[in-house]
Amino acid sequence: TILNFIAAYEQILALLRGPTLMAACLNGDLGLVKKMIEEKGADVNYQDVDQSTAFMLACAFNDDQHYRIALYLLDRPDF
């Protein structure tokens, strides 16, 4: 039925939010990180297959963009 299709579609979208958040962290894109979390509901504590989190990826780089992402994530109540 259409309700089953919608439920499956929402599950697929939820699975894509974590990897998109991780990619935004790798790229140092604070705007996309905020959008994924605040608007799209990405899980701040999502872990990839290596058990890395967005925070861990942000901390792996020594530049201002990634530092701002790390601070943003640390300031989240759901972190």
Side-chain angles (χ1 to χ4, degrees), residues 5-9 20 26 32-33 35-36 38 40-43 46-47 59 71 75-76:
F5 174 78
I6 292 171
Y9 179 73
T20 303
L26 279 173
L32 184 55
V33 169
K35 182 175 184 170
M36 290 305 303
E38 296 171 11
K40 303 298 181 183
D43 181 3
Y46 170 83
Q47 294 181 346
C59 290
L71 288 179
D75 198 38
R76 300 267 321 154

Side-chain angles (χ1 to χ4, degrees), residues 23-56:
C25 285
L26 279 173
N27 290 325
D29 190 341
L30 179 58
L32 184 55
V33 169
K34 286 182 176 182
K35 182 175 184 170
M36 290 305 303
I37 293 170
E38 296 171 11
E39 296 177 23
K40 303 298 181 183
D43 181 3
V44 175
N45 300 301
Y46 170 83
Q47 294 181 346
D48 65 11
V49 295
D50 297 321
Q51 297 183 336
S52 296
T53 64
F55 178 74
M56 293 166 68

